[in-house]
Every structure is written in structure tokens, then in C-alpha cells.
Amino acid sequence: MCINCGCAGTGAASALHVHEHAHDHDHAPRAVRVEEDLLAKNDRLAAGNRTRFTRAGLFVLNLVSSPGSGKTTLLERTLRDLGPQLRFAVLEGDQQTSFDADRIAATGVPVRQINTGAGCHLDAHMVAHGVEAFDLPATDILMIENVGNLVCPAGFDLGEDHKVALLSVTEGEDKPLKYPQMFEAASLMIINKLDLLPYLDFDVERCKDFARRVNPRIAILELSCRSGAGLAAWYDWLAAGLAQKRAARE
Amino acid sequence: MHELSLTQSLVAIAEDHARRAGATVIRSITVEVGELSGAVPEALEFAFDVCSKGTLAEGAALILRRVPGHGRCGLCAAEAECGELTAVCPACGALAFELDAGRELRVMELEID
């Protein structure tokens, strides 16, 4: 064998000399079967996160939406309303700044900001390190606010129980068809900023129909963090999810 | 944009397998890219030039094998190719169309020296 490149060279000399490949032994490249998913490493880390979260009895949500759909406002409102009954922790994903983490910190809930820099999504590795500061067994619900982006976060499992996709009524009802990956990956779609409906042509039923066309199993809630409409149903959904997670552990 | 991190994984997987096989250089990498995977082949190609610099994969040919979307209706059992992510059966219109191909993002094979 050629000691320089490991190829199966012929001739006695090839095992001994160090050469510049000037000689003409057979250099056909070797084929190596791989069959490994590009997301395999992320999926492995996400599975590790999921095991860790399940052991801690933690209900974990991955909040996804376009920038400005109201993820942080929904979190603030939820933490203020349910904070007294449930123990939350929050991971905030943004490319830059700690503005969102500061808003969450003001509610008194433990929060950690992850800045992805040029990155357009959170991945399972960032989340694994992001939760290190939290006392997970002493937490009921972990909210992960992903980078505002309706495309990239769809494929990256973080170890969450559910992806929750927010869509505000100012964005147009056709978003589920325009960005189907995200709505297909989500268990719940929240139609947000319902208080603005009187000023818009947003067709709520059409939006729901579009979402079900890509994901017939998707649950749908409509709410407004400003008026408080629909929040009770969201809180019920959270409580049911947490109860289910705990029951599964026992 | 997420093609950048997908491509970083692609190069890492290729290098890992190539090293284990004792390679000094990777000549080509064959990757299956499903039409409904959410990854844009042109963006993978663009990112590959950047991500492969200084690795065993530098200069390797990136062979992207497109996999068309395909599914089967759980209600009428019709099978069809489909170019978009949808649960609507193209034959009967029921919301029961289950995709069984087109999401692939998988390194299949390397050629090494």
C-alpha cells in the first residue's frame, strides 16, 4: 500500500517510498458508504435534552414565529398571570441584544439569553448549555423563545414537547401555506393580536383552513395579550400539557 | 440561511467518515436533498465552498441528488408525487395525504483517496 495516500498501489516500492505521486499506480478513489442525516447530531443532542427534561418532569415549549408576532409579549403576560401558580424558566434566542431577556427578567422568572450572532435559529447544543443555569427539577415549564424566523427553526429539534407557532393577524392569513414547514412541525398555532382584527381584512377561518391543509392535527387558539381575550384557553392548554407530561413520567 | 449550519454538519460528517477510512482527501460527497426538506440546493453549494476550506473536503465535488416529494392518501390510498408540503390528497381532496419521501437531507456516499 502507498504510505503517502493509503491507496492500494502495486509494486514493491510503493510501500516504502514517500513520493509526490509522479508514478502511475492506480489512483481510482475509494467509495465509502455514509448514509447519515445532516441533522443527526442535532437530533442526538435533542434526544438527550428531551430525556433530561422528562426526568425533571419539565414541560417544554419551543415558541416560533416571524419577528414581531408577539412571542415575548405572550411570555410576559403568561408569566405574570401564571407566575404565582407555576414555576417557569425562559430561554431567549435572538441574534443580538438582551432586550427580550431583560423584559422577562422584569417578571421575576429565571431567564437566560442566547445570542446566535449570525445564526438564524437555536439548536439543541445551545439549549443544552442554555439550561445549565436553571434548577430544572424545581421548574414546571421551560419556555424557549426561538429566533424570530418562520423558516430555519422548523428543522431543528431542541428536545421540546411541542413547537408553538405564533401568527399575528397583521401578517396575513396565508402564512401557513407560504411557510408550511413551520406549521407542519407545530402542535399548536396561536393566532395573536386578535384586538387588531377590526382594522384588518384578516380572515381567521381561512387562516385556520390553510394551517390544517399542511397539518390536519394542529391545535389552534386565538388570543390577544392586550385585551386578554382567549388567554384562559391558552392557560388551560399549558396546564393540560404539563399534567400529561407528569402523568407520562409516573 | 440555515443551509450554512446544515453544510457545516455535512462537512463534519464527511470528514469524520473519511478520517475513519484513512483518507487524505475527499474527492466527492453525494448528498440526498429532498424537494420538501426546506433546504435550497444552491445555498448548500454556496455554503460548501466556504465550509470546506481547510478541511479534507476542500475541492471535493458536491453531488446533490434531488429526491422528489411523494406521498400516499390514508383515505383513498392514492399515491402521488407532490412538489409542496401539503396534507391535501391530490386525488380525493381529503386531509389525509401522508408524505413518505422528499424530506431527505442525508450524506449518502464519499469518494476518497
Side-chain angles (χ1 to χ4, degrees):
Chain A
M1 192 175 83
C2 169
I3 55 169
N4 198 35
C5 60
C7 67
T10 52
S14 63
L16 301 170
H17 67 191
V18 174
H19 58 75
E20 296 299 325
H21 290 86
H23 65 284
D24 61 354
H25 64 195
D26 183 14
H27 254 123
R30 286 185 288 145
V32 178
R33 286 193 81 73
V34 178
E35 297 191 6
E36 187 171 333
D37 286 343
L38 293 190
L39 287 167
K41 187 179 172 197
N42 185 74
D43 289 347
R44 270 196 302 277
L45 292 170
N49 289 348
R50 190 166 282 115
T51 303
R52 202 163 146 205
F53 298 155
T54 300
R55 275 201 198 117
L58 201 60
F59 185 48
V60 185
L61 299 180
N62 177 1
L63 271 69
V64 291
S65 79
S66 338
S69 300
K71 294 186 296 300
T72 314
T73 303
L74 176 65
L75 279 180
E76 284 178 304
R77 181 77 200 240
T78 304
L79 301 176
R80 289 212 161 90
D81 288 351
L82 300 185
Q85 299 112 283
L86 293 169
R87 298 165 299 177
F88 287 93
V90 178
L91 279 182
E92 280 290 339
D94 281 296
Q95 290 199 319
Q96 289 188 48
T97 81
S98 62
F99 292 164
D100 283 0
D102 297 343
R103 285 169 61 186
I104 299 301
T107 69
V109 165
V111 59
R112 176 95 192 270
Q113 178 78 49
I114 301 174
N115 284 135
T116 57
C120 49
H121 59 271
L122 293 176
D123 63 31
H125 182 242
M126 297 173 194
V127 168
H129 288 296
V131 298
E132 277 166 357
F134 299 141
D135 183 0
L136 296 183
T139 306
D140 297 310
I141 300 179
L142 171 66
M143 298 283 203
I144 306 170
E145 182 181 337
N146 218 312
V147 178
N149 178 339
L150 262 187
V151 183
C152 307
F156 291 83
D157 185 6
L158 306 179
E160 72 274 4
D161 291 297
H162 301 290
K163 283 191 179 68
V164 175
L166 268 77
L167 174 59
S168 64
V169 295
T170 55
E171 293 169 60
E173 66 260 343
D174 53 3
K175 279 288 182 319
L177 291 187
K178 283 182 168 171
Y179 301 93
Q181 308 272 354
M182 192 62 89
F183 293 90
E184 201 221 9
S187 311
L188 171 68
M189 172 170 80
I190 291 180
I191 301 176
N192 192 23
K193 307 191 189 179
L194 220 54
D195 53 294
L196 295 178
L197 268 185
Y199 313 104
L200 303 162
D201 297 324
F202 189 93
D203 185 334
V204 174
E205 290 312 311
R206 204 150 167 257
C207 180
K208 292 182 185 174
D209 176 54
F210 286 161
R212 289 187 182 117
R213 277 198 222 175
V214 295
N215 182 355
R217 287 171 285 270
I218 198 165
I220 301 172
L221 294 173
E222 302 156 46
L223 56 83
S224 162
C225 294
R226 177 165 291 188
S227 74
L231 283 174
W234 159 239
Y235 298 154
D236 288 346
W237 188 89
L238 284 177
L242 176 61
Q244 207 178 3
K245 189 75 190 274
R246 294 226 166 118
R249 186 175 56 144
E250 280 146 19
Chain B
M1 262 301 286
H2 65 301
E3 281 83 357
L4 186 61
S5 52
L6 290 175
T7 308
Q8 284 168 339
S9 303
L10 188 162
V11 171
I13 291 168
E15 269 209 304
D16 180 37
H17 284 262
R19 282 227 167 81
R20 276 192 269 155
T24 51
V25 65
I26 301 172
R27 296 291 177 203
S28 74
I29 307 175
T30 304
V31 183
E32 277 190 353
V33 182
E35 221 175 14
L36 311 175
S37 67
V40 181
E42 290 74 17
L44 293 173
E45 279 165 358
F46 181 77
F48 182 73
D49 288 341
V50 180
C51 295
S52 62
K53 279 242 156 56
T55 74
L56 294 183
E58 184 167 352
L62 183 64
I63 302 163
L64 301 178
R65 209 189 284 159
R66 304 290 296 273
V67 182
H70 182 274
R72 187 177 185 279
C73 179
L75 202 68
C76 78
E79 290 197 32
E81 283 204 356
C82 71
E84 58 185 39
L85 210 57
T86 180
V88 183
C89 171
C92 75
L95 288 177
F97 197 64
E98 302 272 356
L99 298 167
D100 53 23
R103 298 177 198 270
E104 295 78 1
L105 274 177
R106 191 177 301 141
V107 182
M108 297 305 289
E109 194 180 86
L110 310 176
E111 281 186 310
I112 56 169
D113 262 341

